[in-house]
Amino acid sequence: MNAEHHETRVLPTWLYPAAFWLALPVLLLSLLLPGGERLGVWFMMAVPAVAAAVVVPLNWRRDRAVSVAALVALTGVVGVAVLKSALF
């Protein structure tokens, strides 16, 4: 039996370490710079959106349900951003 779970094959293997090594300096800067907390917050909100944007095209033919779920999540993020900008 294959020990690899289906969920671990959704994102490319290079994305996890790339996001981690990008997150370290961004989050450090967000702590050290005055007013930098917005940078950290926006980065942490962008990480799942980027992951969903990668999942949709890479898995569309192989696992349509995962791609549709990622597309729905992206649509929700865009909807929240539009609604927030309209309210504030």
Side-chain angles (χ1 to χ4, degrees), residues 9-69:
R9 291 181 286 142
V10 174
L11 288 172
T13 55
W14 60 266
L15 193 59
Y16 292 108
F20 173 77
W21 288 111
L22 182 62
L24 284 180
V26 169
L27 294 177
L28 181 64
L29 285 174
S30 72
L31 289 173
L32 298 177
L33 292 177
E37 66 276 355
R38 287 182 179 245
L39 173 69
V41 169
W42 278 104
F43 181 81
M44 294 310 290
M45 289 191 310
V47 168
V50 169
V54 169
V55 165
V56 172
L58 291 181
N59 293 293
W60 188 257
R61 290 185 181 185
R62 187 174 48 145
D63 194 347
R64 185 81 37 102
V66 168
S67 293
V68 169

